[in-house]
Amino acid sequence: MVLPLPVVTRPREPDEVPVDPLLEVHQRRRGRRPGDAYVRIVRPFEDTFRRGTDGGLIATERTLLDRQGWKRALRGFRTWLIGRPISSELETHERLTKVKALAVFSSDNISSSAYATEEMMRILVLAGIGSLALTLPLAIVISLVLAIVALSYRQTIKAYPHGASAYLVASDNFGARVGLVAAAALLIDYVLTVAVSVSAGVAAITSIVPALYPERVLVAVLIVASLMIGNLRGIREAGTIFMAPTYVYIVTVGGLIAFGLLRSITGEGLGAFEAPRTWLEAEEVGAAGALGIFLVLRAFSSGAVALTGVEAISDGVPAFRRPEWRNARTTLTAAAVIFATLFLGISWLAASIEVVPDPTEQQTVLSLIARHLTGEGPYLILLQVATAAILTVAANTSFADFPRLSYFLARDSFMPRQFAFRGERLAFTTGIIALSAMAALLLVAFGASVSALIPLYTLGVFLAFTLSQAGMVRRWWGRREPGWRRGVAINGLGAATTAVIALIVIESKFVTGAWMVVIAIPVLVAILLAIRGHYRDLDAALALERIEPEAEVAARPIVIVPIARLDRPSRRAIAFARSIDSEAVAVHITNEPADAAAMRDRWPSWAGSTELVIVESPYRALIGPLLAYMNALQLQAPERPILVVIPEFVPRHWWEQLLHNHTALRLKLRLYARRNTIVADVPYHTER
Amino acid sequence: MVLPLPVVTRPREPDEVPVDPLLEVHQRRRGRRPGDAYVRIVRPFEDTFRRGTDGGLIATERTLLDRQGWKRALRGFRTWLIGRPISSELETHERLTKVKALAVFSSDNISSSAYATEEMMRILVLAGIGSLALTLPLAIVISLVLAIVALSYRQTIKAYPHGASAYLVASDNFGARVGLVAAAALLIDYVLTVAVSVSAGVAAITSIVPALYPERVLVAVLIVASLMIGNLRGIREAGTIFMAPTYVYIVTVGGLIAFGLLRSITGEGLGAFEAPRTWLEAEEVGAAGALGIFLVLRAFSSGAVALTGVEAISDGVPAFRRPEWRNARTTLTAAAVIFATLFLGISWLAASIEVVPDPTEQQTVLSLIARHLTGEGPYLILLQVATAAILTVAANTSFADFPRLSYFLARDSFMPRQFAFRGERLAFTTGIIALSAMAALLLVAFGASVSALIPLYTLGVFLAFTLSQAGMVRRWWGRREPGWRRGVAINGLGAATTAVIALIVIESKFVTGAWMVVIAIPVLVAILLAIRGHYRDLDAALALERIEPEAEVAARPIVIVPIARLDRPSRRAIAFARSIDSEAVAVHITNEPADAAAMRDRWPSWAGSTELVIVESPYRALIGPLLAYMNALQLQAPERPILVVIPEFVPRHWWEQLLHNHTALRLKLRLYARRNTIVADVPYHTER
């Protein structure tokens, strides 16, 4: 007898004595000697459940443990890799100080300074080494754009203190479809942030350890794998570990710039960079054309990568201490100022010493500058390590952003529900794995080259910027709150600027890679919409809005048991079928009429009153005749479901499965598609 | 109501009125107007079943037809490819005349003449072109060996008129284990017969169409695929189509030899073969050492491939007209005489005109001889086409032998049961596909080169010969029938000869390939024994030898329904569960206590008196807590099976499956391994 279960929805009878299965179950048993009677005490829930405050059952960690051999080992490995499961109750929402938040959220933006200058120069050099003189002017223009965007985002942050993701802002102001365009752009952007940051980080390392250069793709993929495991463990926005790389990088690069300024002011001079002969030859060979407006625009859009990461701060507003929006704004301004200083400083140094980028991408421009100014010493190593570290931290921000955006989208039914599910460590497992897989794929496909990835990168970022700021304009316009004219002006200027840059990116980078993003965004939006369509249709089809208690009373099923031979599994299946319905019928499909006759003769002594139907199958097929037989039964009672009870033998070893006909599996697949059909598997475990 | 089913094993009550569902089912229905009543006549079995002579049901071909879109298309393609299903009743056992049987069974042996001479020469030439003079003497020795083996097999055929396969003869006289060694050798032999014959056939074609030479592996695999499809269609021993290639080959090669003899006798002379310069250089470079005894033995064991195919006639004894053994013996003798004539003739021609084998294997020796004697004309083309055709027919004999031996082994439980199952066209589908796959693999691995495959080929053949003839010696010895002394002498000589050759093959071909067979045979035997062990254990565990009617009466199952949310599929599953057991319990595992509380509030109005158990899962796992809960229930009633009723939603399109959590599938896999657990799937098909 099943004892009353802990959470019972029907009213409890006044005289009912509750037995708490969490504590113990008393079973009266007869003893060994006649007349004996004793009570056996069973604790069914032992340590697998505890009782919640409302009296319900709460599963303990023990329910996750597998007891079997290799599964247990697998669980052990998993625990070693990502740690023990964390209970939902332990979720904490740490609020960040401005100093920590700067480190966490603006690492993405600040770290761009490690490669933005270089990427501009790589384009300019295509028109000859003389064109590199344009580096500093372009850097100044880009810094101005950054100032505009930062000003504009300060307003967005204030307006959306609960999270100013472009997806949310665009959805709120332009509806779901425009929001989805922003979401698609952001998803692509996050994947590329990982790929680009990790590639740039690997470049920082190969600059000082050239031996790793041939293995750069492998190193990059291993870094992504480490980030994935770390995030599956649930590190997320643990500010403290991320503070070090960001501030060390700021101080180290700042120091390099200060040193250069000092030498420059004291009149000591910076000296001229001497590029290896092979580089110059390579650049000469590569110098295809004159410095036209097209090339300048390409260089500008490469440098515009400097603006990536501004989004990260606005995404993270809710994680700031109160007042969130004010602290976030201050941090944004500080980040923009720091970034601009480093970016302009590096560009100025590069221009002053007339550095030439390494055509093989083995050494970064930043490392060339540092090597030129400070030589092969500890400072160079410190700088490169700090660069690699901040770039890894920057990649890590996407590991917070991508799964979070996926969660929002899954919650709104635009992405599969798996993305909304928190794993054993409270991390969004599916999102983290999807991000890692796509980033690794990009790294392999593009050989972990920053220059090859850049054309894909910037378009998504600027599209999201534009939609977000345009949304702000619309919001100001609609609400006409105090100061709305100024708001429209600032956000409008920002939106216009970023829209122009997005067009420049499409124009100048289309052939080299932006076309992929131009195709990917609408495709992604179509997929997101199709997924929501599916979920909506499904809800409409499955949901039970009206309450019709007991409306669906099932008709008594027709029970059939297909049997292959007279053996224990068949007998058990028949016994089960009869326990449900005494009219259950056994069906034997045969291609050997002689065997069937023998079976029919033995049947009455074997299965008593159960009926046996023998169907000869002269074409030796099993499933077709069985389905045809079921159809014939169904015609006689169209309203009754058919319950097919399938005897199944469970071998002890997986390889033994290979020796069996898998007829049961094939049959189940066919029955799954048949309407009004219930399949009951009665497994038989051999007791050896 | 389900009507009485056609084959009923319980005694029919005297007053029971049988209703034959094959004819019609009468259902009383109410009409549209009140008071109306009419009888609806349903013919449930329509054209899917007919009635057998004993009153049982016999499925018609219609039961095999799929009605759904793409499955129907698949079935159409399959019918186009291998034909419509054939009923078991239509199986015929055609008996073959000697003339047909010679064509069918000895094509394997006779076709060896197309490459046996060449393979000897390819080894001899390794000691320089002068060594080719040994070709004819070696051919004479091999012909003598063939005479001994043929004499010996004449006795075997008489002793085993129902099939003289080495597996049967060895099992009969030395027990199952030795029989299995022979079986393993034969299985390997059959696969190699296909690979070698097809490779030689392709070589015959590339000799006249050099353009096909670079694609020889592809051509070979396509020939195997055609043979596979043909045999799946069930061509088997359809003598007539096979007569043409065999006799055309015999006449064409015979004519070539006769032409040579005539020119030789008339003193016209045969002329000397002029090998291209590059060939001679290649052979010189390749000529590594002197002509030692080892090389002669290698050449001999390559030429011994001439004896393959003798087995085929002894396998096919039951297919001859009565008296089977006498006709089979006569055919064997005729085949041996024909083969020896062709083999010696070709070897004599090759020696006389001093032909040199083409080191690239682009042209066969036979084609070089014909080209030398008859020029580039229709005769050459006829000869090459006939050669390719007889080799294809020879490969085809393995398509009868391999599946048949597999069937014997499967019947004796040494191979998976699938090998004993006849497909829709009465062919042994699994055996045919397995043979084709392995032959194609060998062709790809060895580049469709006869010379590369030969070292693997002969060992299996001679091992089977030796075991079969040794079995005959033992049989004679044991029975002491009249003439047993002569019998022992002949079979003993045969066994000794083939044993020596097997040792020579191992000795001389070990490094070049025989080692693979030396490893493969014991491994295969071990696998065959392991399979029988498994089936035996299983039968012991599952079979119900003693008749205990109604012994296994199932305890009433504990019924639980895991539900994820309140929707139609859940409701249907609960309705089904309640139709089985009114105490069925719904279980909801939740990681959102708030949602669970809402569900609990709505529950009574939704599912009436069914109990709902809510289990909180703070680690967000679903399956672990459910299993733990089931264990707790089980402890309270260890003897009752647990029936888990799983609501499942069946999407309309396969891709929609990707959007669902697959929790049901994972749960089922886990429950499959749990003892005393029955899983009932209640699928819900959306009605859109």
Side-chain angles (χ1 to χ4, degrees):
Chain A
M1 193 201 75
V2 185
L3 293 167
L5 290 148
V7 181
V8 181
T9 51
R10 65 181 158 78
R12 193 162 272 159
E13 303 299 320
D15 57 342
E16 198 176 1
V17 181
V19 175
D20 189 342
L22 270 179
L23 300 175
E24 52 200 37
V25 176
H26 299 264
Q27 288 187 325
R28 249 164 231 292
R29 289 267 168 128
R30 281 164 185 267
R32 286 179 191 175
R33 288 183 208 157
D36 264 14
Y38 64 92
V39 170
R40 196 167 80 119
I41 298 175
V42 180
R43 292 196 176 76
F45 292 106
E46 266 181 302
D47 49 356
T48 48
F49 295 96
R50 57 193 172 81
R51 195 171 270 314
T53 48
D54 61 347
L57 287 180
I58 299 176
T60 65
E61 193 183 337
R62 210 185 154 79
T63 58
L64 305 177
L65 301 182
D66 288 301
R67 284 169 199 180
Q68 283 163 295
W70 67 270
K71 281 193 177 173
R72 193 171 162 185
L74 199 70
R75 160 66 62 180
F77 173 74
R78 187 169 161 174
T79 303
W80 173 80
L81 198 68
I82 68 164
R84 288 179 53 182
I86 301 174
S87 170
S88 299
E89 297 156 10
L90 298 178
E91 181 161 29
T92 55
H93 297 280
E94 191 197 357
R95 292 302 184 107
L96 302 175
T97 63
K98 277 175 281 189
V99 174
K100 275 194 184 177
L102 182 81
V104 172
F105 295 120
S106 61
S107 62
D108 184 5
N109 181 232
I110 291 176
S111 68
S112 319
S113 62
Y115 52 83
T117 306
E118 174 166 351
E119 294 305 321
M120 280 195 296
M121 295 173 73
R122 288 198 179 279
I123 303 295
L124 290 172
V125 85
L126 294 179
I129 289 165
S131 317
L132 291 176
L134 275 176
T135 307
L136 191 55
L138 276 176
I140 293 169
V141 174
I142 288 168
S143 299
L144 286 176
V145 172
L146 175 63
I148 293 169
V149 173
L151 269 179
S152 177
Y153 261 83
R154 280 172 60 93
Q155 304 202 101
T156 316
I157 287 170
K158 188 175 175 192
Y160 290 92
H162 302 301
S165 163
Y167 167 59
L168 300 176
V169 177
S171 298
D172 191 38
N173 293 295
F174 296 117
R177 277 160 193 270
V178 178
L180 285 187
V181 175
L186 284 175
L187 289 175
I188 292 170
D189 174 27
Y190 293 142
V191 175
L192 283 160
T193 298
V194 175
V196 169
S197 299
V198 169
S199 299
V202 172
I205 296 167
T206 60
S207 298
I208 50 171
V209 189
L212 280 178
Y213 179 70
E215 304 300 333
R216 59 200 181 282
V217 175
L218 180 66
V219 173
V221 171
L222 287 178
I223 292 175
V224 172
S226 318
L227 285 169
M228 181 182 83
I229 292 168
N231 280 280
L232 286 178
R233 293 188 77 101
I235 47 175
R236 290 177 302 143
E237 297 118 351
T240 326
I241 5 173
F242 296 141
M243 278 177 68
T246 307
Y247 286 109
V248 171
Y249 175 83
I250 293 170
V251 170
T252 320
V253 177
L256 190 71
I257 296 166
F259 177 69
L261 275 175
L262 198 72
R263 286 223 335 221
S264 194
I265 290 166
T266 59
E268 204 175 336
L270 297 174
F273 177 77
E274 283 178 27
R277 209 185 160 76
T278 53
W279 294 11
L280 294 173
E281 279 164 6
E283 307 287 19
E284 285 302 319
V285 171
L291 184 70
I293 179 70
F294 181 72
L295 209 62
V296 175
L297 288 179
R298 267 183 76 189
F300 171 76
S301 57
S302 278
V305 77
L307 273 75
T308 60
V310 170
E311 175 79 16
I313 296 179
S314 59
D315 272 2
V317 182
F320 282 84
R321 291 211 176 146
R322 289 167 206 281
E324 293 89 350
W325 65 269
R326 192 181 294 280
N327 286 329
R329 270 165 71 140
T330 314
T331 309
L332 176 62
T333 309
V337 169
I338 292 170
F339 171 79
T341 309
L342 300 183
F343 178 51
L344 289 171
I346 292 169
S347 301
W348 168 73
L349 283 174
S352 301
I353 65 174
E354 292 174 355
V355 78
V356 174
D358 174 359
T360 67
E361 291 189 57
Q362 196 163 344
Q363 292 195 65
T364 63
V365 164
L366 187 57
S367 83
L368 290 173
I369 295 170
R371 202 182 298 261
H372 177 78
L373 291 181
T374 69
E376 297 262 357
Y379 200 86
L380 177 69
I381 293 170
L382 174 69
L383 176 72
Q384 295 307 113
V385 171
T387 308
I390 193 180
L391 282 162
T392 307
V393 170
N396 193 63
T397 50
S398 283
F399 276 88
D401 292 336
F402 183 97
R404 186 169 44 207
L405 179 56
S406 304
Y407 162 73
F408 286 138
L409 288 167
R411 205 190 48 184
D412 298 350
S413 295
F414 289 113
M415 277 175 75
R417 298 234 161 93
Q418 288 94 315
F419 284 92
F421 183 77
R422 284 181 190 269
E424 288 182 359
R425 297 283 293 182
L426 283 169
F428 292 111
T429 314
T430 313
I432 290 169
I433 291 172
L435 173 65
S436 310
M438 286 186 290
L441 208 72
L442 278 180
L443 285 169
V444 171
F446 289 85
S449 156
V450 177
S451 299
L453 287 163
I454 285 289
L456 284 74
Y457 193 16
T458 26
L459 180 54
V461 179
F462 282 92
L463 188 56
F465 279 159
T466 307
L467 291 174
S468 168
Q469 293 173 108
M472 282 301 294
V473 172
R474 175 143 184 187
R475 183 186 157 99
W476 288 118
W477 195 266
R479 299 201 170 195
R480 309 275 170 124
E481 286 163 344
W484 69 275
R485 283 169 208 278
R486 190 172 157 273
V488 166
I490 293 175
N491 286 130
L493 177 63
T497 312
T498 52
V500 168
I501 297 177
L503 289 175
I504 292 175
V505 171
I506 294 179
E507 167 74 13
S508 62
K509 302 275 185 188
F510 192 80
V511 182
T512 47
W515 64 269
M516 291 183 235
V517 181
V518 170
I519 292 171
I521 289 178
V523 169
L524 200 49
V525 170
I527 291 173
L528 297 175
L529 283 170
I531 290 174
R532 190 182 55 169
H534 166 76
Y535 280 126
R536 278 198 176 163
D537 289 357
L538 196 64
D539 280 347
L542 303 187
L544 280 170
E545 280 314 315
R546 282 166 302 141
I547 292 168
E548 313 159 75
E550 305 287 325
E552 194 162 343
V553 175
R556 192 166 60 93
I558 300 170
V559 182
I560 66 170
V561 189
I563 59 170
R565 55 179 193 160
L566 303 184
D567 58 11
R568 289 177 193 275
S570 303
R571 171 106 117 196
R572 169 167 295 189
I574 290 167
F576 168 71
R578 286 181 61 86
S579 78
I580 290 176
D581 182 1
S582 60
E583 287 182 22
V585 169
V587 183
H588 177 58
I589 314 284
T590 182
N591 53 2
E592 292 286 352
D595 294 359
M599 187 182 234
R600 189 158 52 210
D601 293 342
R602 276 186 78 188
W603 185 258
S605 63
W606 195 81
S609 60
T610 308
E611 283 181 33
L612 169 70
V613 174
I614 290 180
V615 177
E616 277 184 44
S617 175
Y619 299 94
R620 298 162 303 282
L622 294 168
I623 294 176
L626 183 66
L627 288 172
Y629 180 76
M630 288 170 65
N631 289 340
L633 287 183
Q634 192 81 80
L635 273 174
Q636 297 172 58
E639 73 292 349
R640 290 175 64 182
I642 297 186
L643 169 62
V644 185
V645 178
I646 299 180
E648 249 192 292
F649 152 68
V650 182
R652 285 214 304 177
H653 306 289
W654 65 267
W655 55 266
E656 293 179 332
Q657 290 277 14
L658 302 176
L659 296 177
H660 298 274
N661 261 324
H662 304 119
T663 315
L665 184 63
R666 275 166 50 220
L667 179 60
K668 278 189 277 181
L669 281 174
R670 289 288 289 274
L671 291 175
Y672 178 69
R674 191 179 187 280
R675 283 178 185 270
N676 219 6
T677 309
I678 297 161
V679 176
D681 258 317
V682 183
Y684 184 88
H685 296 257
T686 53
E687 336 259 348
R688 272 180 285 178
Chain B
M1 196 199 73
V2 183
L3 293 167
L5 292 150
V7 184
V8 180
T9 51
R10 68 179 156 80
R12 194 161 272 159
E13 302 299 319
D15 57 339
E16 198 176 359
V17 181
V19 176
D20 189 343
L22 271 179
L23 301 175
E24 51 201 37
V25 176
H26 300 264
Q27 288 187 325
R28 248 163 232 295
R29 291 265 166 131
R30 281 161 184 268
R32 287 184 188 171
R33 289 185 208 156
D36 265 13
Y38 62 92
V39 170
R40 197 168 78 122
I41 298 175
V42 181
R43 291 194 178 78
F45 291 106
E46 266 182 302
D47 49 356
T48 49
F49 294 96
R50 59 193 169 80
R51 192 171 271 315
T53 49
D54 63 346
L57 288 179
I58 300 176
T60 66
E61 193 183 337
R62 211 187 154 79
T63 58
L64 305 177
L65 302 180
D66 289 299
R67 283 166 197 183
Q68 281 164 297
W70 65 272
K71 283 193 175 175
R72 194 172 160 181
L74 200 68
R75 159 67 61 179
F77 174 73
R78 186 170 162 175
T79 303
W80 173 80
L81 198 66
I82 67 162
R84 287 177 55 183
I86 300 175
S87 169
S88 299
E89 298 156 13
L90 296 179
E91 182 162 28
T92 55
H93 296 282
E94 191 196 356
R95 293 303 182 105
L96 301 176
T97 62
K98 277 175 281 189
V99 175
K100 273 193 184 175
L102 181 82
V104 171
F105 294 121
S106 61
S107 63
D108 184 4
N109 180 232
I110 292 176
S111 68
S112 319
S113 61
Y115 51 85
T117 305
E118 175 166 351
E119 293 306 321
M120 280 194 295
M121 295 172 73
R122 287 198 179 281
I123 303 295
L124 289 174
V125 85
L126 295 178
I129 287 163
S131 316
L132 291 176
L134 274 176
T135 306
L136 191 56
L138 276 176
I140 293 170
V141 175
I142 289 169
S143 298
L144 287 175
V145 172
L146 173 64
I148 293 169
V149 173
L151 269 179
S152 177
Y153 259 83
R154 280 172 61 93
Q155 303 200 107
T156 316
I157 286 170
K158 188 176 174 192
Y160 289 91
H162 301 301
S165 165
Y167 167 58
L168 300 176
V169 178
S171 300
D172 191 37
N173 294 294
F174 297 118
R177 278 162 192 269
V178 178
L180 285 186
V181 175
L186 284 175
L187 289 175
I188 293 171
D189 173 27
Y190 294 141
V191 175
L192 284 160
T193 297
V194 175
V196 170
S197 300
V198 169
S199 299
V202 172
I205 297 168
T206 59
S207 297
I208 48 170
V209 189
L212 281 178
Y213 180 70
E215 303 300 334
R216 60 200 177 283
V217 175
L218 180 66
V219 173
V221 170
L222 286 178
I223 291 174
V224 172
S226 316
L227 286 170
M228 181 182 84
I229 292 168
N231 279 281
L232 287 177
R233 292 187 76 102
I235 47 175
R236 290 179 300 142
E237 297 117 352
T240 328
I241 5 170
F242 297 142
M243 278 176 69
T246 307
Y247 287 110
V248 170
Y249 175 81
I250 293 172
V251 170
T252 320
V253 177
L256 190 70
I257 296 166
F259 179 68
L261 275 175
L262 198 72
R263 286 223 334 219
S264 193
I265 290 166
T266 59
E268 207 177 334
L270 297 171
F273 178 78
E274 283 178 27
R277 211 186 158 73
T278 51
W279 293 12
L280 295 173
E281 280 165 4
E283 307 288 15
E284 286 303 319
V285 171
L291 182 69
I293 180 69
F294 181 72
L295 208 64
V296 174
L297 287 179
R298 266 183 77 190
F300 172 76
S301 58
S302 278
V305 75
L307 272 73
T308 58
V310 169
E311 176 79 16
I313 295 179
S314 59
D315 273 1
V317 182
F320 281 83
R321 291 210 176 147
R322 282 167 214 281
E324 292 91 350
W325 65 270
R326 192 180 295 277
N327 286 330
R329 269 164 72 139
T330 313
T331 308
L332 175 62
T333 309
V337 170
I338 292 170
F339 170 78
T341 309
L342 300 184
F343 178 50
L344 289 172
I346 292 169
S347 299
W348 168 73
L349 283 174
S352 302
I353 64 174
E354 292 175 354
V355 77
V356 175
D358 173 359
T360 65
E361 289 189 58
Q362 195 163 348
Q363 290 195 62
T364 62
V365 164
L366 188 57
S367 82
L368 290 174
I369 295 171
R371 203 184 297 263
H372 176 75
L373 292 180
T374 70
E376 298 262 357
Y379 200 86
L380 176 70
I381 293 172
L382 174 69
L383 176 71
Q384 294 308 110
V385 170
T387 308
I390 193 179
L391 283 162
T392 307
V393 171
N396 193 65
T397 50
S398 285
F399 276 90
D401 292 336
F402 182 97
R404 186 169 43 207
L405 179 56
S406 305
Y407 163 74
F408 286 137
L409 289 167
R411 208 191 45 186
D412 298 349
S413 295
F414 289 113
M415 278 176 75
R417 298 232 162 95
Q418 288 94 317
F419 283 92
F421 183 76
R422 283 180 190 271
E424 287 182 2
R425 296 283 293 181
L426 283 169
F428 292 112
T429 314
T430 312
I432 290 169
I433 291 171
L435 172 66
S436 311
M438 288 185 289
L441 210 73
L442 278 180
L443 285 168
V444 172
F446 290 85
S449 156
V450 177
S451 299
L453 287 163
I454 285 288
L456 285 75
Y457 194 15
T458 26
L459 180 56
V461 178
F462 282 92
L463 188 56
F465 279 159
T466 307
L467 292 173
S468 166
Q469 293 172 109
M472 280 302 293
V473 172
R474 175 146 185 183
R475 185 187 156 97
W476 288 118
W477 195 265
R479 300 199 172 196
R480 311 272 171 129
E481 287 164 344
W484 69 274
R485 283 169 208 280
R486 191 172 156 269
V488 166
I490 295 176
N491 286 130
L493 177 64
T497 311
T498 51
V500 168
I501 299 177
L503 290 175
I504 292 175
V505 171
I506 294 179
E507 166 74 15
S508 62
K509 303 272 185 187
F510 192 81
V511 181
T512 47
W515 64 270
M516 292 185 234
V517 180
V518 170
I519 292 171
I521 288 177
V523 169
L524 200 50
V525 170
I527 292 173
L528 297 176
L529 284 171
I531 289 173
R532 191 183 54 169
H534 166 74
Y535 279 127
R536 278 199 176 161
D537 289 356
L538 195 64
D539 280 347
L542 303 186
L544 281 169
E545 280 314 313
R546 282 166 303 141
I547 292 167
E548 314 157 77
E550 305 287 326
E552 193 161 345
V553 175
R556 195 167 57 92
I558 302 171
V559 184
I560 65 170
V561 189
I563 59 170
R565 54 180 195 159
L566 303 182
D567 58 13
R568 290 177 193 274
S570 305
R571 171 102 119 199
R572 170 166 296 191
I574 290 166
F576 168 71
R578 286 181 61 86
S579 77
I580 290 176
D581 181 2
S582 60
E583 285 182 22
V585 169
V587 183
H588 178 59
I589 314 286
T590 183
N591 54 1
E592 292 285 353
D595 294 358
M599 188 184 235
R600 191 158 51 211
D601 292 343
R602 275 186 77 187
W603 185 258
S605 65
W606 195 80
S609 59
T610 308
E611 281 181 32
L612 170 69
V613 174
I614 290 179
V615 176
E616 276 184 43
S617 174
Y619 298 94
R620 298 161 303 283
L622 294 168
I623 293 177
L626 183 65
L627 288 173
Y629 180 75
M630 287 170 65
N631 290 341
L633 286 183
Q634 192 81 77
L635 274 175
Q636 298 174 57
E639 72 293 349
R640 291 175 63 182
I642 299 186
L643 170 63
V644 185
V645 178
I646 300 181
E648 247 192 291
F649 152 67
V650 182
R652 284 214 306 175
H653 307 289
W654 63 267
W655 56 265
E656 292 178 335
Q657 291 276 14
L658 302 176
L659 296 176
H660 298 273
N661 262 326
H662 306 120
T663 315
L665 185 63
R666 275 165 50 219
L667 179 60
K668 278 188 279 184
L669 280 174
R670 288 290 288 271
L671 292 176
Y672 178 69
R674 192 179 186 279
R675 285 179 183 268
N676 219 6
T677 309
I678 298 162
V679 176
D681 256 317
V682 183
Y684 185 89
H685 296 255
T686 53
E687 337 258 349
R688 272 181 282 177

